[in-house]
Amino acid sequence: RKLSRTIFTILMIVLLNFLLFRMMPGSPDRVNPRNPNVTIEQRDAARARWSLDKPLIPDQLVAFVGSTLQGDLGYSIKFQGQPVTQVIGDRFGPTILLIGLAELIAIILGLALGAYTGWRRGGMADRVGNGISLILYSMPYFVIGMPLIIIFAAGLGWFPTSGMLTAGASYAGPLEFLTDLLSHLALPLATISLGLIGGYSILMRSSITETRAEDYIATARAKGLTDGRILRSHAFPNALLPAVTLIAINLGYVVDGAITAEIVFNWPGLGTLTVDALDSRDYPVLQGIFLLLGVSVVLANFVADIVYGYLDPRVRQ
């Protein structure tokens, strides 16, 4: 049942993917209508080349659904006719590198911080940790990133201000390349990690607080187990269930989390690609990114449902 609902949802995403961007004002052939060098004949030829002169329904819709189901996302309008899969694939790696590492760091630190503050509820560690988590959770990525650039890049000069690699640099070996990459990665990675830690910490703290009142915790205390053993072996595994859903959602929203952070640091990933495609009304690229985002969220939630069944046997009943 879950698999059938997942497939149906993906099909609805494909249909919405077609309609959404054609409801936007403007058209790819009218991005720069005041350019005197573009004639009406050239504009009509461009519309015919990208099949924009055909009726929206059913011609364009049928062609779009058919090609999408075959894995053909078309050709980019902005990037000189390159296949959309190639355009997105070139930017997918940097985004996965940035968001994947940030998610990993945030999951480890956020869940650990939330578990510790929830277990020490009411103490100084709880007040300080929960306060920091709330501040980080309420701050957008660009609010976190701009002070980091001002302090550590522009002020101290420890890290570059933007980009993924130094423009025009030649590297003597892999170590020098890795050093340059890590120096450019440091600030955007710290920005996204800090932005994600707050949400994981708050959710885990709430779950641990509720778990502390369960009977099996009192039984573990009666057996003489230490607080650390109770937290690691009893409270934390049972409090982890709500965090699974949040982790799955965050993993699905790769593009959503990448846009603001990548724009601030000019990181060459899917976020900056989305903005470039929006500026040029590049329908095929926008549709490809939206499809990737939608399918990622649906599949992440499907995996979360499966994992739920293994973590909590009651879900399978």
Side-chain angles (χ1 to χ4, degrees):
R1 290 197 302 269
K2 293 181 184 298
L3 180 60
S4 62
R5 288 198 297 266
T6 299
I7 295 174
F8 176 77
T9 304
I10 292 177
L11 292 177
M12 293 299 100
I13 289 175
V14 172
L15 295 178
L16 180 61
N17 193 19
F18 172 81
L19 297 174
L20 181 63
F21 296 103
R22 284 160 178 78
M23 295 171 61
M24 295 170 53
S27 178
D29 62 307
R30 296 182 178 272
V31 173
N32 190 8
R34 296 184 180 180
N35 188 349
N37 298 320
V38 178
T39 64
I40 297 178
E41 290 76 13
Q42 291 174 329
R43 191 171 295 159
D44 292 340
R47 290 182 60 83
R49 183 167 62 253
W50 302 111
S51 302
L52 298 175
D53 58 335
K54 296 180 180 179
L56 187 67
I57 298 175
D59 294 40
Q60 292 189 38
L61 176 60
V62 172
F64 171 76
V65 174
S67 60
T68 301
L69 294 179
Q70 295 175 6
D72 181 11
L73 301 180
Y75 295 87
S76 171
I77 297 174
K78 174 180 174 59
F79 298 95
Q80 301 178 352
Q82 297 182 29
V84 172
T85 52
Q86 177 183 341
V87 174
I88 295 179
D90 292 341
R91 302 292 190 94
F92 189 72
T95 293
I96 290 299
L97 174 64
L98 176 60
I99 303 298
L101 286 177
E103 283 283 354
L104 181 62
I105 294 173
I107 289 172
I108 296 174
L109 297 182
L111 295 184
L113 177 62
Y116 182 78
T117 55
W119 193 253
R120 304 289 182 180
R121 184 184 60 178
M124 179 61 67
D126 180 28
R127 290 194 291 269
V128 174
N130 193 43
I132 294 175
S133 299
L134 288 172
I135 293 174
L136 293 176
Y137 182 67
S138 63
M139 296 173 66
Y141 290 139
F142 68 89
V143 176
I144 301 175
M146 292 305 295
L148 295 182
I149 293 177
I150 294 173
I151 297 173
F152 297 103
L156 299 175
W158 291 355
F159 303 103
T161 58
S162 62
M164 182 176 174
L165 296 170
T166 302
S170 58
Y171 305 102
L175 182 60
E176 188 175 345
F177 169 80
L178 183 61
T179 302
D180 188 31
L181 174 62
L182 293 178
S183 65
H184 285 79
L185 179 64
L187 291 184
L189 180 62
T191 298
I192 299 178
S193 298
L194 290 174
L196 292 172
I197 283 175
Y200 290 129
S201 175
I202 292 172
L203 182 62
M204 178 54 68
R205 177 189 179 275
S206 176
S207 298
I208 288 291
T209 301
E210 295 178 0
T211 304
R212 286 184 56 180
E214 297 292 338
D215 292 339
Y216 60 84
I217 298 296
T219 302
R221 290 185 187 279
K223 291 181 179 179
L225 299 179
T226 63
D227 280 356
R229 176 70 180 278
I230 297 173
L231 175 60
R232 291 191 304 269
S233 303
H234 298 275
F236 186 82
N238 290 280
L240 191 61
L241 290 176
V244 171
T245 302
L246 181 60
I247 292 172
I249 293 175
N250 284 340
L251 291 177
Y253 279 105
V254 172
V255 181
D256 178 64
I259 290 178
T260 53
E262 290 185 0
I263 292 301
V264 170
F265 294 96
N266 195 26
W267 187 264
L270 292 175
T272 52
L273 177 63
T274 303
V275 176
D276 292 340
L278 281 170
D279 290 338
S280 59
R281 300 294 191 273
D282 195 342
Y283 287 159
V285 171
L286 288 173
Q287 290 172 164
I289 295 174
F290 182 85
L291 181 64
L292 175 63
L293 172 62
V295 172
S296 299
V297 173
V298 173
L299 292 180
N301 280 275
F302 175 72
V303 172
D305 290 338
I306 301 301
V307 173
Y308 246 73
Y310 285 99
L311 294 178
D312 189 353
R314 294 172 298 180
V315 177
R316 299 196 298 265
Q317 297 177 0

